[in-house]
Amino acid sequence: MKIIKYSFFFFLLILFSCNNEFSKRLDILEIDEKFNNGNLNEAKLDLDKYLKKEPNNEYAWTILGHIESHLDKDILARKAYRKALKINPNTVEAITGMGILARKNGDYEKASEFYYQAIEINPNYAEAYASLVVINLKRKNFDEAVRVGLIGYNLEKEDGTIAANLSTSYHFANDTIQREKYFNIAKNNGYKNLESLRLIFDGELIIFD
């Protein structure tokens, strides 16, 4: 779940290359990249150091929330997201993170509320649509999962996870042609859990409650 887009990074490179603000943003980019590459412990150590210097950075708190959520430390994740939202109530990444925590606890209604709140703030935030796909799959609303999945995919066509979610949606909507199309897109975009997708398609991995 990337916090800062790389087009923004190159803009900052030009604008802030000679000042301390750029250095701070570069630090966050590097930490976010470690998180996205699965180096959770290293990213967390870097964040702890960063937050001692920059305790009012909502993105740092949000990444910390993502890490704690991945480690199934949901209480700590919620605490981190709330700190991010106290600093900036419009941090859509933290709002979506709160939705994921609600979904993990089986509260799909509350999760959806968080996702739609994020979309209201930023209609182009693909992660919120991707998260809505999961909710609709859990509820077996397969046509709706496809609908919101396509919105998310059209916003972030290089995101392998979004393509994988859309492939899964098409599978349960009984459209094998589109399923395979987005499976291959997920593969080409570096999605790492292709084997799990095949297990879902073969009925050997159950995603429903």
Side-chain angles (χ1 to χ4, degrees):
M1 189 178 294
K2 293 185 182 297
I3 299 299
I4 305 171
K5 300 301 177 187
Y6 287 100
S7 60
F8 184 52
F9 166 76
F10 288 116
F11 170 74
L12 289 172
L13 183 62
I14 296 170
L15 187 61
F16 294 118
S17 58
C18 296
N19 66 28
N20 190 48
E21 184 66 20
F22 170 74
S23 178
K24 293 176 186 176
R25 293 177 184 269
L26 181 59
D27 287 343
I28 284 294
L29 281 168
E30 291 175 346
I31 294 170
D32 188 40
E33 187 66 15
K34 288 179 182 179
F35 163 68
N36 283 293
N37 287 334
N39 301 322
L40 303 186
N41 291 328
E42 187 177 352
K44 190 173 185 299
L45 286 173
D46 289 348
L47 275 175
D48 289 340
K49 295 176 184 177
Y50 184 91
L51 284 167
K52 287 179 181 178
K53 298 182 296 183
E54 301 292 333
N56 293 319
N57 187 298
E58 67 269 32
Y59 294 113
W61 285 111
T62 299
I63 298 171
L64 181 59
H66 294 340
I67 292 172
E68 300 291 13
S69 179
H70 274 71
L71 295 172
D72 290 326
K73 297 180 179 179
D74 290 357
I75 293 175
L76 293 177
R78 188 173 292 105
K79 181 179 179 181
Y81 290 140
R82 284 175 174 167
K83 285 189 176 182
L85 292 169
K86 184 176 182 180
I87 296 165
N88 181 359
N90 291 328
T91 307
V92 292
E93 299 88 353
I95 294 169
T96 302
M98 291 288 283
I100 291 171
L101 293 179
R103 190 256 301 165
K104 288 170 69 177
N105 288 328
D107 192 344
Y108 300 150
E109 190 66 33
K110 188 66 177 177
S112 295
E113 289 176 8
F114 279 121
Y115 301 148
Y116 280 116
Q117 180 184 348
I119 290 168
E120 184 175 355
I121 294 169
N122 181 3
N124 295 319
Y125 185 53
E127 294 286 352
Y129 291 103
S131 295
L132 280 170
V133 171
V134 177
I135 294 298
N136 281 290
L137 286 173
K138 290 285 188 180
R139 289 175 161 174
K140 300 185 179 181
N141 296 331
F142 304 133
D143 289 342
E144 181 64 8
V146 168
R147 187 188 73 82
V148 294
L150 282 170
I151 296 173
Y153 173 75
N154 285 324
L155 291 169
E156 283 288 348
K157 292 187 176 181
E158 296 181 359
D159 190 307
T161 300
I162 291 176
N165 285 351
L166 186 51
S167 176
T168 305
S169 301
Y170 274 117
H171 169 73
F172 288 108
N174 297 315
D175 189 334
T176 56
I177 293 175
Q178 293 300 313
R179 180 192 77 185
E180 293 303 308
K181 171 185 174 180
Y182 288 99
F183 178 90
N184 289 323
I185 290 173
K187 180 180 179 180
N188 292 336
N189 287 344
Y191 184 69
K192 298 178 181 179
N193 295 318
L194 295 171
E195 184 177 345
S196 295
L197 274 186
R198 284 300 178 198
L199 290 174
I200 291 171
F201 299 162
D202 293 339
E204 297 179 22
L205 181 60
I206 306 301
I207 65 172
F208 306 115
D209 297 333

